[in-house]
Amino acid sequence: MLRWVSSVLIVATIVLLTLQLIVYSRNRANFPAGLVVADVPVGNLSRQAAAERLLEVYSQPVELYYEDQVIRMLPNQVDFSLDLETMIAAADLERTGGSFWLGFWDYLWGNLGSVDPVPLTARYSDAALAAYLEREVGGRYDNPPTPSQPVPGSTRFSGDSPGTAINLDQAMPRVENALFSAENRTVELPIQLAEPPRPNLENLQVQLQQIMEVAGYDGLAVVYFQDLETGQEMHFAYELGENLSTTPDVTFTAASTIKIPILVSTYKRLDTAPEGALDELIQEMIIQSFNDPADELMEIVIDPSQAPLMITQDLHEVGLQNTFLAGQFYLGAPLLARYETPAQARTDVDTDPDPYNQTTASDMGMLLADIYQCAESGGGALVAVYGDLLTQAECQEIVQVLTQNLLGVLLEGGPPEGTQIAHKHGWVTNPNTGVINSMGDVGIVFTPSGDYVVSIFLYHPVQLIWEPISTMFSDLSEAIYNYYTLTEGN
C-alpha cells in the first residue's frame, strides 16, 4: 500500500510540476507582471501586444489650450516617433535575463521578484514643432498689435494697441513634456503681450512730405535719419511732390555745418583737452557760430595754410566723399582746390553750392553717427581710421560742445523742452539781396526711447522765408521725435 501511495504521489507531483512548467513557460513568453515600458503597463502582454499598446498611448493627440481655444495636435504633425525596437529589446531583457530554472523555482514558491521599468525612447522635430506653433497656433489665434499711424499733415500719431502672441521659448518645452507623457497630454500655452512696433519708416517719410505740402513748401528738401540703436535709415529727397533719387545724394552748401568736421579734425590733432584760448575759440565757433574763430582754430591747431584741405582729407579717409572744405571763411580767402564729388555730377537738381564748402544730408548724418559711436563705445569708423588720434573721451567732448548750441528753433524747435540735441545749424544768405536760399541743421537727438541722428537740408532758388520755413523745419523735427518715442499724446 505504501509503495502504491508513494507511486501515486510521485506521479501526481510530476504531473503538477509538468503543468506548472507549462504555465511558467507560457508566462515567460510574455513580459513579466508589473513591467512598465515608457510609463505604460505591459505586464503579461506579448511583444506584439505591448508594441500596439505603446503606439496607442503615444499616438493620442496633445491638447493645446490657447486661452479658451483648444487645438488637438497629432504627434505625427511634429515628426514624433517611438523607438519601439529599442524599448521592446530592453523589455525582453527583463523577461529573459535570468536563468530559466531559477526563475521556475522562484515561480513555484511565489517569489515573483521585481522588474525595472523601461524608460521612453522617442524623438520629434524641434523645427517642425516650432513651425506648427507659429503657423497653426500663432497664425490662427495670435492677436497682432496695432501700430500707431501718422495723422496726415500733422506731427502726431494715432493711438496704438498691444496684441497677444504665443511665447515660443516657454511653449516648446511644455509641449515636449506632453508629447513624452503617457498621461498628461494637455498644455496651457503661455501667452505674452505683443507690444506694437513703431510705424515703418515709409509711413514717416509720407508724413514728413505731407507736412511740407501743408506748409506750402515748393523747394527742395533732403532728409536723412538713422536709428542709432538699430542702424535703420531713412533717406529721401523731395521736390514739388516728387521723390528724387538719393544715389548719389544731393550736394548743398555746407555753411556752418562744416564746423562739425573742423571740430573733429581739431580734436584729432590735440593731445590734451583744449583750454584757455583754444576752448574759447571752439565755443565761439560752435555755440555762437562765428566764422573768424573757425579760421583761427584751423590755423593754430591744424595748419596755417592747408588746414581746409587736411580737414577734407580727414573726411575722405572715413568715406565721406561728398563733403569738403576748400578754403577758409574770411572774405577773399583763396580757393585752395576745386573738388569734384559724386554728388556734383547730378544734373537733375542744382542747389547753387558754394565751391568753398559742400556736403550732403547723408554725409553729415553718417559723420554724426560715427561721432556718437566713438563717444558711446569707443568704436566706429572714426576710431577704426584714426586710431589713437581720436579717443572716446575726445568724442564725448565733441558731443558735449554740440549740445551747447542752443538755438531754440529748427531741430530744437520740435522735441519737448529739455530734450538734449547735439547739433549744428547753418544757412546761406545772399550778400546782394540778403535772402536765404539754403538752410540745414544736423544733430544727434537723445530720447528716453534711444537716440537718433537727423540731418535736414532745404534749398529754394528764390527765397527761404524764415517764417514759415523755420516752423515747418521744427514740425519735421517734432514728427521724427514723435515717431521715435511715440509718447502718450502723440
Side-chain angles (χ1 to χ4, degrees):
M1 179 64 67
L2 289 174
R3 190 178 299 130
W4 278 101
V5 170
S6 299
S7 298
V8 170
L9 290 175
I10 291 171
V11 171
T13 300
I14 293 173
V15 170
L16 288 173
L17 285 172
T18 301
L19 292 174
Q20 291 298 316
L21 182 61
I22 293 172
V23 172
Y24 173 72
S25 297
R26 289 176 178 175
N27 289 341
R28 189 175 170 86
N30 296 327
F31 291 126
L35 180 62
V36 175
V37 177
D39 294 327
V40 177
V42 296
N44 300 319
L45 295 180
S46 66
R47 287 169 55 93
Q48 180 65 29
E52 291 174 356
R53 177 62 179 149
L54 289 170
L55 286 173
E56 178 186 359
V57 170
Y58 285 96
S59 295
Q60 295 297 313
V62 173
E63 292 187 345
L64 308 176
Y65 287 83
Y66 191 118
E67 296 180 333
D68 58 347
Q69 301 294 325
V70 182
I71 305 100
R72 295 168 62 84
M73 184 190 77
L74 296 175
N76 60 15
Q77 290 179 287
V78 294
D79 300 333
F80 177 86
S81 61
L82 293 172
D83 190 352
L84 287 173
E85 183 177 346
T86 297
M87 291 188 290
I88 295 300
D92 265 339
L93 289 177
E94 294 295 328
R95 179 177 64 86
T96 62
S99 166
F100 179 88
W101 294 111
L102 288 176
F104 179 57
W105 180 257
D106 289 337
Y107 171 77
L108 291 176
W109 292 100
N111 183 14
L112 299 179
S114 61
V115 289
D116 294 328
V118 176
L120 172 67
T121 305
R123 65 182 65 87
Y124 74 99
S125 168
D126 279 334
L129 176 56
Y132 180 88
L133 292 176
E134 288 181 356
R135 182 182 63 252
E136 299 297 328
V137 180
R140 293 185 180 183
Y141 301 105
D142 280 350
N143 180 27
T146 302
S148 295
Q149 295 298 320
V151 178
S154 76
T155 64
R156 297 177 295 104
F157 288 78
S158 62
D160 54 27
S161 61
T164 57
I166 182 173
N167 188 322
L168 281 177
D169 291 338
Q170 295 180 14
M172 291 280 287
R174 296 187 187 184
V175 177
E176 177 184 329
N177 290 338
L179 281 169
F180 284 15
S181 174
E183 297 179 355
N184 185 15
R185 298 181 70 78
T186 62
V187 177
E188 191 77 28
L189 292 174
I191 308 301
Q192 61 186 0
L193 281 179
E195 293 299 328
R198 291 192 185 112
N200 60 47
L201 285 171
E202 289 76 9
N203 283 346
L204 176 61
Q205 177 177 331
V206 170
Q207 185 184 34
L208 297 179
Q209 292 170 354
Q210 288 175 341
I211 289 173
M212 297 180 206
E213 292 173 3
V214 169
Y217 179 63
D218 58 353
L220 170 68
V222 181
V223 179
Y224 175 85
F225 164 90
Q226 183 182 145
D227 184 338
L228 292 171
E229 307 299 313
T230 65
Q232 191 176 20
E233 296 176 312
M234 176 188 68
H235 185 201
F236 69 87
Y238 190 67
E239 185 177 33
L240 298 175
E242 293 187 7
N243 285 298
L244 308 179
S245 171
T246 54
T247 308
D249 205 352
V250 178
T251 189
F252 288 86
T253 298
S256 285
T257 64
I258 200 67
K259 292 169 184 174
I260 298 176
I262 294 174
L263 191 60
V264 171
S265 292
T266 297
Y267 272 93
K268 176 186 172 186
R269 288 165 176 81
L270 290 174
D271 295 327
T272 60
E275 298 178 348
L278 282 182
D279 185 56
E280 186 176 344
L281 289 174
I282 289 174
Q283 301 293 320
E284 291 177 347
M285 178 182 72
I286 298 298
I287 300 172
Q288 301 180 51
S289 204
F290 291 158
N291 291 336
D292 289 344
D295 287 341
E296 189 173 350
L297 190 65
M298 287 190 285
E299 292 173 0
I300 294 173
V301 178
I302 302 176
D303 188 87
S305 60
Q306 300 297 305
L309 304 185
M310 297 171 69
I311 292 168
T312 301
Q313 179 62 31
D314 290 344
L315 291 166
H316 290 180
E317 285 177 357
V318 293
L320 304 177
Q321 298 296 319
N322 289 313
T323 303
F324 65 82
L325 181 62
Q328 292 183 309
F329 287 94
Y330 67 88
L331 292 176
L335 186 65
L336 302 178
R338 286 195 174 274
Y339 288 98
E340 294 183 1
T341 69
Q344 290 175 342
R346 294 186 64 148
T347 59
D348 59 328
V349 288
D350 181 12
T351 63
D352 191 25
D354 190 336
Y356 277 79
N357 59 77
Q358 293 178 29
T359 191
T360 63
S362 57
D363 266 18
M364 276 297 170
M366 288 187 284
L367 175 60
L368 284 173
D370 289 337
I371 293 171
Y372 178 89
Q373 296 301 331
C374 172
E376 291 293 312
S377 65
L382 294 178
V383 175
V385 173
Y386 300 154
D388 294 338
L389 295 177
L390 190 66
T391 67
Q392 182 177 6
E394 289 175 323
C395 289
Q396 291 171 347
E397 289 184 29
I398 291 172
V399 172
Q400 182 60 32
V401 170
L402 292 174
T403 59
Q404 298 176 47
N405 179 30
L406 302 177
L407 186 64
V409 292
L410 303 184
L411 287 184
E412 286 188 89
E417 185 177 353
T419 301
Q420 189 178 45
I421 304 178
H423 77 111
K424 190 71 194 80
H425 61 280
W427 53 79
V428 180
T429 303
N430 189 307
N432 298 319
T433 63
V435 302
I436 299 174
N437 294 105
S438 183
M439 179 185 297
D441 199 359
V442 297
I444 304 167
V445 182
F446 298 87
T447 84
S449 302
D451 309 321
Y452 63 87
V453 160
V454 60
S455 173
I456 302 175
F457 282 83
L458 305 178
Y459 173 79
H460 197 286
V462 178
Q463 183 178 8
L464 289 172
I465 302 174
W466 181 258
E467 185 63 43
I469 291 300
S470 62
T471 299
M472 182 193 78
F473 209 115
S474 296
D475 286 345
L476 296 174
S477 179
E478 181 180 357
I480 295 171
Y481 181 91
N482 289 344
Y483 160 83
Y484 197 79
T485 59
L486 288 178
T487 55
E488 186 177 354
N490 285 344

